[in-house]
Amino acid sequence: MKPLLFCSAWLVLFLGLVPACRQMAQPQQPKVTVGAEILLRDHLGELEGRNIGLVMNPTARIAGTHVLDTLLDLQVNIKALYAPEHGFRGDRGAGEHIEDGVDQESGLPVFSLYGENRKPQPDMLEGIDLLIFDMQDVGARFYTYISTMGLVMEAAADNDTEVWILDRPNPAGGEYVSGWVLEPAYSSFVGAYPIPVAHGMTLGEMARMIVGEGWLDSGQELDYKVIASENLDRSMKWPDTGLEWIPPSPNLPTFEHSLVYLGTCFFEGTSLSEGRGTRDPFLNIGSPTLQVGPDQLTGLGSQYGVTLTPTEFRPVSMPGVAPNPKHIDIMLQGARISLDDYAAFDPVAFGIEMLHVFLEADEGSETRNYIYLLAGTDRIDAYLNSGRQESPNKLWEEEVEAFKEQRKPYLLY
């Protein structure tokens, strides 16, 4: 019996080690190292003797510290700051006009790129020979940081100024591409380039495509480079990167908000509330007269892997976040969106289908012309006025596939 007991003990020990061995055989993916960290590690010496301008917002951070403050501590010669929508420090709501001024923490001049000028003017670049651009995008065509980057690149080319793009991950991942490709008739600051609603590219990749496809409105060649992230894979969505979420704008406080935003932002082109003026913008959708049943919500939610819960909410003024939201101080009927599986979620198709359901369920609601700028086309009307007999993805399937081929030369990951 002793040999049997001896063998049993070893068998128990062996089986206990199997899970540990499996874990050792499949090491955890290392945290993504963003372009700003690579800048400090590999390119700091190249900044010596340069007069530098920074195009950044609060997401330009390394280990909790703003890149501006880190560069100043390293005695890098920063001469000027440039503020996109929401401001350099991120204290302005969507669409709020931003004035030129002075950064209170550093004393440096701040030039607004979301006010009278959205493209840096020659006097704003006087004495600057290098612009460093670092902002966290969310992967949506209508998120204005793409337009700001393109205009900065145009101004830099016109004024013989070099540009470095410090790359960061696309939170929605590099494989998720969805929505109509922008038509020229609907080009605007919320849609500057012929790309789908969800483009599946980082800003560094997008910069390469903008230059490579000749989309810059400049007769001069741009001197630029992209400092890529490390350990970034196209299949990663934000939770897979190991990075801390820093809100890229006041109304996207978490990754969940930013992912759902890719679809529910379409409600901004209607009279329905997209939830601004609440703690959960783009997760709360409703209106004063919405009549959508629990069964409709359950059916739509189960189709897309989300939970839609009937709710009431009252939008209020939130300075610096949503100073004047739709239906301010009015109790609204609607739904609260909760993600069940971010990896399988299709936000653009979900948003379009939810929009169809809610417009049908609310006789007092209407679309506005702004929806064409968000969609990049007026073809959205045909779907919203139809009986919803096919998946929204069928509407843009061919153009998305063509775009995926077009973008291949510019991909970094």
Side-chain angles (χ1 to χ4, degrees):
M1 294 299 293
K2 288 183 179 180
L4 181 60
L5 289 171
F6 177 80
C7 292
S8 299
W10 274 104
L11 180 62
V12 170
L13 177 62
F14 172 75
L15 291 175
L17 289 174
V18 168
C21 292
R22 286 176 178 166
Q23 290 178 359
M24 292 173 62
Q26 299 178 357
Q28 186 176 2
Q29 177 72 30
K31 180 179 78 71
V32 170
T33 303
V34 298
E37 295 176 89
I38 308 301
L39 169 74
L40 298 182
R41 189 190 71 192
D42 298 341
H43 302 279
L44 200 57
E46 299 171 49
L47 301 181
E48 291 184 15
R50 307 295 295 270
N51 295 319
I52 299 169
L54 303 182
V55 188
M56 296 181 177
N57 69 3
T59 62
R61 302 184 80 81
I62 305 171
T65 302
H66 199 287
V67 173
L68 164 64
D69 302 321
T70 300
L71 293 176
L72 289 175
D73 287 344
L74 293 169
Q75 306 299 308
V76 175
N77 187 28
I78 309 300
K79 304 292 287 187
L81 311 177
Y82 301 85
E85 184 178 9
H86 307 297
F88 192 88
R89 296 287 180 180
D91 55 356
R92 300 297 181 88
E96 280 193 63
H97 189 91
I98 296 173
E99 301 286 349
D100 293 346
V102 175
D103 178 58
Q104 296 301 309
E105 296 186 35
S106 67
L108 289 166
V110 180
F111 295 104
S112 171
L113 300 182
Y114 199 78
E116 182 179 347
N117 298 304
R118 294 190 175 179
K119 178 177 179 177
Q121 299 302 297
D123 63 314
M124 297 162 63
L125 296 177
E126 187 174 351
I128 302 294
D129 56 59
L130 172 62
L131 288 171
I132 299 179
F133 185 102
D134 186 9
M135 284 189 271
Q136 178 62 59
D137 191 46
V138 301
R141 182 188 64 226
F142 38 65
Y143 209 61
T144 61
Y145 298 161
I146 295 175
S147 297
T148 294
M149 181 178 70
L151 292 173
V152 166
M153 293 163 69
E154 286 181 10
D158 292 340
N159 291 273
D160 194 27
T161 304
E162 188 177 0
V163 177
W164 292 3
I165 310 292
L166 310 185
D167 214 11
R168 292 178 182 266
N170 181 332
E175 296 177 342
Y176 181 65
V177 182
S178 185
W180 293 281
V181 170
L182 176 77
E183 297 172 2
Y186 296 103
S187 179
S188 72
F189 196 64
V190 293
Y193 303 109
I195 59 177
V197 171
H199 48 75
M201 300 175 74
T202 66
L203 284 183
E205 292 173 330
M206 187 61 67
R208 287 161 53 88
M209 188 170 194
I210 289 170
V211 173
E213 294 296 310
W215 292 341
L216 287 181
D217 185 15
S218 174
Q220 306 300 316
E221 184 175 349
L222 175 66
D223 184 5
Y224 84 108
K225 71 178 175 183
V226 175
I227 299 181
S229 299
E230 291 183 352
N231 304 321
L232 179 59
D233 186 270
R234 300 210 71 77
S235 64
M236 288 180 173
K237 296 185 188 295
W238 188 265
D240 308 316
T241 66
L243 296 171
E244 175 189 2
W245 180 261
I246 299 170
S249 57
N251 283 287
L252 298 179
T254 71
F255 164 68
E256 181 179 17
H257 289 82
S258 77
L259 188 62
V260 176
Y261 162 84
L262 299 184
T264 54
C265 185
F266 288 109
F267 282 89
E268 291 195 307
T270 74
S271 59
L272 288 99
S273 169
E274 70 283 352
R276 291 187 188 272
T278 75
R279 292 186 177 181
D280 284 312
F282 304 107
L283 301 183
N284 285 328
I285 306 294
S287 83
T289 55
L290 184 65
Q291 299 290 327
V292 61
D295 291 343
Q296 288 177 290
L297 295 179
T298 300
L300 180 61
S302 61
Q303 182 180 348
Y304 284 96
V306 300
T307 298
L308 294 174
T309 307
T311 190
E312 294 182 335
F313 61 94
R314 188 192 308 272
V316 298
S317 178
M318 302 172 69
V321 179
N324 189 32
K326 294 178 196 169
H327 307 298
I328 187 169
D329 296 329
I330 298 173
M331 184 62 73
L332 308 183
Q333 309 299 315
R336 168 65 162 79
I337 304 164
S338 300
L339 273 182
D340 297 330
D341 182 4
Y342 73 83
F345 182 51
D346 183 351
V348 176
F350 166 75
I352 293 291
E353 188 148 1
M354 185 179 186
L355 181 60
H356 189 292
V357 170
F358 277 39
L359 287 172
E360 281 191 337
D362 187 354
E363 294 183 356
S365 65
E366 61 182 5
T367 60
R368 296 167 178 171
N369 287 337
Y370 187 57
I371 200 169
Y372 303 133
L373 300 184
L374 296 172
T377 179
D378 61 7
R379 287 177 285 162
I380 190 173
D381 283 343
Y383 180 76
L384 295 179
N385 295 328
S386 72
R388 285 193 307 124
Q389 296 181 354
E390 63 179 359
S391 167
N393 285 306
K394 295 293 184 181
L395 303 174
W396 49 70
E397 186 174 28
E398 292 184 6
E399 55 198 286
V400 161
E401 290 305 313
F403 173 77
K404 286 181 178 179
E405 287 297 315
Q406 183 186 14
R407 73 175 187 165
K408 280 184 178 180
Y410 311 111
L411 301 183
L412 294 168
Y413 313 100

